[in-house]
Amino acid sequence: MSHSIANPLLEMHILPPFSRIKAEQVEPAISALIAQNRAHLQQLLASISATSQAPTWDNLIAPLEAQSDKLDQAWAPISHLNSVCNNDEMRAAYTASIALLTEFNTELSQNETLYKAYQQLAQSDGYAHLSQAQKQAIDNALRDFRLGGVALNAQDKIRYGEIQQRLSELATQFSNHVLDATQAWYKHVVDAAVLIGLPESALAQAAQAAQKKSLTGYVLTLDFPSYYAVMMYADNRALREEIYTAYVTRASAESKKTNPDHSVTITAEFDNTAIIAETLALRYELARLLGFKHYAERSLATKMAQSPEQVLDFLQQLATKSKPYAARDYAELCEFAAAEGCQDLQAWDTTYYSEKLRVAKYAVSQEELRVYFPAEKVIEGMFAIVQKLFAIRVEPVLEFDTYHPDVRFYRIYKNQEPIASFYLDMFAREAKRGGAWMADARVRRKTDAGIQLPVAFLTCNFTPPVGDKPSLLTHDEVTTLFHEFGHGLHHMLTQIDVAAVSGINGVAWDAVELPSQFLENWCWEPQAIPLISGHYQTGAPLPKTLLDKMLAAKNFQSGLQMLRQIEFSLFDFRLHVEYSETNPIVARDLLQQVRNQVAVVQPPAFNRFENSFSHIFAGGYAAGYYSYKWAEVLSADAFSRFEEEGVFNAATGESFLQSVLQQGGSQAPMQLFKEFRGREPQIDALLRHCGIEVTA
Ligand SMILES: [Zn+2]
């Protein structure tokens, strides 16, 4: 195929040529690049074997890295545009390309010749002379080859493929059932008096839902915002009980369905119970096929945690320490509810009275804080903070090729030298996916022409400026910005030159949230607040009284929240440790066991939470839900060194930069953490930050 008009996606650029990228160029470019990569790989492997050379870094991996970077360079802006400037053409081009990429990646992971070449390289004398980053890249590749089943015998390989296929079907069915069950139930309310307590926004939502169904009045649904608004604000207790019951039985044999005449029946058509059982059995079989003891061990093969015992012990410790605080939180709630006239607090009352208690105790709203956090002031302050910490300078670049006038572009300097750059796309707008995230546009790597510097995309969805009023952020949004910038620094400050382990590449996923959550700490520091806050009219920094309220409210019911997350984590992890063919665990029984052991409050017997636990049955969190708490412990513990040595201590900042941020995925995260902290992580700092006293 000839390209009479140059396709910019097939050229190499320092930065993506956004203004010239068109949807119709996407699929031809990706398909041409994949064909190039495929031919290049074949040629490389053939020439190594024809000349009887041993595979080396220089004759195999370096050229592969260079070739695959071309594909990455084309794909990064496409994937970004699909998220931030979505339209039908781009979505179609993206979907078609994703299918091609998935196929190509599967092909790579099943390439036995390539696997053997990596193996040969790992066993060669040359391996010992490679850098730590190069060794780690090879070790990771070999690990991923094995996890992909390439080393299995022919028969097992077939079985492996069947299991993967079936597991993916089951995951899709599981989430479809949750979705269908969520949509199957609704409640039509004609009399607004039933909804007393609901805020305006929730009422408007419910009225809109009614209109969509061509009904008068209001419709309550099981979509989270609708469900949660009722649980939190509806004064009508029977209504809360009804919606709670429908919500927690979704996708079980007790799932509820609203009929056209508004009557409600119980249906088993969305029941996930059998899917859970089959998923567990297949995961176990898959793990055994690959030589692991159980699925939890398979999960940990790519994580920072070293053994199932370590994870269980970690969760158990957190449970033991936080249980008394959860009990105290619960007792306080019961006492408050009793004073309000509710003597027998039920599951459908806890959110409702918790919100009332929170308002009574702290009375600080996100809206009240907004005026102190104009976006410009926050960004400027955030750059000043990282300048103090890591001796880097962030400067805006005014001339650059972009896809939208709102986007800004910045360059980072260290010792006057440019080391990285990033796009900042802050505001919500039409055709832009919600949420906040960091993605890489270019990865740091060594090329024939020198070092390719890393480039990041930082994307948020904050409220844009309205009229002559600047964009004002809630404190939650400020925290989000710091979080994503933390991921960005991890990607951009790396000094590793091997693409596979540079920046956030190759970082174990229970460690990847360390830099992001770490940077959030400065949003709460009395010394940092004056840098990032200033009333948009007067310039006055956030008053201390408001900060104190914010800090006090931060730990509201932290014991109960901690224990709830631990309950889910323990359930998930034990499920994948204890399941075997001779011990086919029933998920519900195990969940009850875990609750008997750690919970301070038991949900009603009809609760079927496990049937909609999509994180572990339809998402990537199987035997990995503990990662949330794990990463929080790491970031809190890392920050505690700054609390000891000064939150703006430049030497401590330099140490974090050198031990963690610059190293990317080049070494085991435990090693890097120990280098920075001088010891293994401890849970004390996290507990202390949550207001849980640590006694020896
Ligand atoms: Zn994150």
Side-chain angles (χ1 to χ4, degrees), residues 33-152:
L33 284 164
I34 288 176
Q36 261 181 39
N37 277 26
R38 197 177 268 140
H40 176 259
L41 173 63
Q42 255 169 22
Q43 200 184 23
L44 209 58
L45 291 172
S47 93
I48 291 174
S49 98
T51 51
S52 323
Q53 294 177 66
T56 64
W57 185 271
D58 292 335
N59 75 12
L60 179 69
I61 302 185
L64 278 182
E65 184 190 295
Q67 183 64 37
S68 85
D69 194 56
K70 289 184 191 166
L71 185 54
D72 294 345
Q73 288 212 13
W75 183 244
I78 297 169
S79 158
H80 186 60
L81 286 175
N82 182 58
S83 297
V84 298
C85 293
N86 197 281
N87 57 42
D88 290 348
E89 296 79 47
M90 190 49 99
R91 189 182 300 186
Y94 177 86
T95 310
S97 305
I98 275 279
L100 296 174
L101 285 167
T102 309
E103 190 192 350
F104 178 58
N105 287 330
T106 308
E107 189 183 306
L108 278 184
S109 70
Q110 301 294 334
N111 189 321
E112 278 181 53
T113 321
L114 183 59
Y115 169 57
K116 287 195 178 120
Y118 265 97
Q119 258 185 330
Q120 227 183 317
L121 174 49
Q123 287 153 7
S124 69
D125 296 340
Y127 179 83
H129 303 293
L130 295 176
S131 70
Q132 166 61 31
Q134 289 170 319
K135 286 181 193 163
Q136 190 69 51
I138 294 172
D139 296 351
N140 289 357
L142 281 171
R143 174 199 70 196
D144 295 341
F145 269 121
R146 286 187 203 110
L147 294 177
V150 79
L152 298 175

Side-chain angles (χ1 to χ4, degrees), residues 483-484 487 513 516:
H483 181 103
E484 299 310 332
H487 282 306
E513 296 295 336
S516 52

Side-chain angles (χ1 to χ4, degrees), residues 25 76 99 102 152 169 182 218 232 248 362 413 509-510 542 601 609 650:
Q25 299 159 337
T102 309
L152 298 175
E169 282 167 22
T182 303
Y218 307 90
M232 190 174 267
V248 302
Y362 307 110
Y413 295 84
W509 88 334
D510 49 356
L542 184 77
V601 43
F609 159 77

